[in-house]
Amino acid sequence: MAAGVGGQLTFGGNYTGSGQITEWSAIQGTKSNSSDDYSGQIEFKTRKQGYALQTKMTLDADGNVGIGTTSPTSAIDVRGEAVIGSGTDGLKLTYSASNSTGVIDTGFTSTGLEFRTGNSFAAIIDTSGKVGIGTISPSNKLDVKGTVGFEATN
């Protein structure tokens, strides 16, 4: 049996006062390959004015979620730009909702790439490429505020 066959639940309705009916979105379950196994996937589809329904997100047989791709290669596979954040934070790396172990951020207190640990500032790479450790405003290529230690090993 061919890949891509299956069923679809389509959402739509009357979009004008004259009774014209159209499809707005759909959820489609399909066979994900053309071999003799029964692996399947779910595709979530939407459309813009003047266009046909297009797959925007896929959940494949391995549990991988693809946004902008129908063939995700990892647990979350985003093709295109993505915004990950809460409006004030960028990418939060955490192991629980109440404990932020680390944050990689853009635009929190500056326009650079900021690194925070335990909700405290740690380092920044500013828009000119200067790196600041312990300072939000580095004035040199590498600017360290605080005690620095070096250890030589053989």
Side-chain angles (χ1 to χ4, degrees), residues 8-77:
Q8 178 169 296
L9 177 62
T10 303
F11 303 93
N14 182 342
Y15 70 97
T16 68
S18 63
Q20 294 178 311
I21 306 294
T22 193
E23 300 173 329
W24 296 315
S25 57
I27 301 171
Q28 182 177 18
T30 62
K31 188 171 184 314
S32 58
N33 58 52
S34 56
S35 67
D36 288 337
D37 73 29
Y38 44 81
S39 296
Q41 63 187 35
I42 297 174
E43 298 177 2
F44 297 86
K45 302 177 176 194
T46 61
R47 71 179 285 195
K48 292 176 88 171
Q49 172 67 30
Y51 293 88
L53 288 172
Q54 295 179 340
T55 300
K56 303 297 170 80
M57 185 171 72
T58 301
L59 174 60
D60 74 8
D62 294 321
N64 296 330
V65 175
I67 300 173
T69 178
T70 56
S71 303
T73 58
S74 58
I76 299 176
D77 187 345

Side-chain angles (χ1 to χ4, degrees), residues 113-137:
L113 179 60
E114 183 178 321
F115 299 85
R116 290 184 278 140
T117 59
N119 290 325
S120 296
F121 172 81
I124 190 167
I125 303 172
D126 72 12
T127 56
S128 65
K130 295 176 184 171
V131 176
I133 300 173
T135 178
I136 195 78
S137 303

Side-chain angles (χ1 to χ4, degrees), residues 52-118:
L53 288 172
Q54 295 179 340
T55 300
K56 303 297 170 80
M57 185 171 72
T58 301
L59 174 60
D60 74 8
D62 294 321
N64 296 330
V65 175
I67 300 173
T69 178
T70 56
S71 303
T73 58
S74 58
I76 299 176
D77 187 345
V78 179
R79 306 288 172 97
E81 292 185 18
V83 175
I84 300 172
S86 63
T88 58
D89 290 319
L91 173 63
K92 273 193 169 181
L93 307 174
T94 181
Y95 61 88
S96 72
S98 62
N99 186 353
S100 295
T101 57
V103 177
I104 301 171
D105 198 0
T106 55
F108 182 72
T109 57
S110 67
T111 57
L113 179 60
E114 183 178 321
F115 299 85
R116 290 184 278 140
T117 59

